[in-house]
Amino acid sequence: MKTNLTPDDFLKYLIKNTETRYIEYTKMLADLFKNKDLYAGEHFDWYKDTLRDNKNSEEKTLKSLRLELEHLRHGMNPPFCYVSYKSKEK
């Protein structure tokens, strides 16, 4: 990876990697339900919950990064700088 990335390029890089992880978690979760009998055991629920939590976390991160990139392209401050955004997070 280049060290002299612009903020726009860096956010694109982060979004690309986050999308990849999100897709992989989604595929793993689908595979888990498709082959339920292979994963049967005492750890099935734990594995399912872990995959679902990670997928949801990546989805939330992806949404946040896309919003930050949108603000950057419009010449605005990142969303976390605004009071109304901070109050929505709580």
Side-chain angles (χ1 to χ4, degrees), residues 11-68:
L11 280 172
K12 286 182 200 175
Y13 175 77
L14 289 177
I15 288 171
K16 179 181 163 242
N17 288 335
T18 305
E19 283 176 342
T20 303
R21 285 190 305 270
Y22 174 75
I23 291 168
E24 289 301 316
Y25 282 128
T26 304
K27 287 179 182 177
M28 290 167 67
L29 200 55
D31 182 55
L32 179 71
F33 286 111
K34 189 185 288 185
N35 301 316
K36 197 179 259 189
D37 54 331
L38 294 176
Y39 296 102
E42 63 185 66
H43 300 295
F44 176 78
D45 290 333
W46 172 82
Y47 188 52
K48 177 187 69 165
D49 291 341
T50 301
L51 287 176
R52 188 173 288 150
D53 289 344
N54 287 336
K55 181 184 78 78
N56 291 341
S57 174
E58 293 299 328
E59 186 176 24
K60 183 177 178 181
T61 303
L62 185 58
K63 183 178 178 182
S64 172
L65 287 171
R66 285 180 176 159
L67 184 63
E68 188 172 344

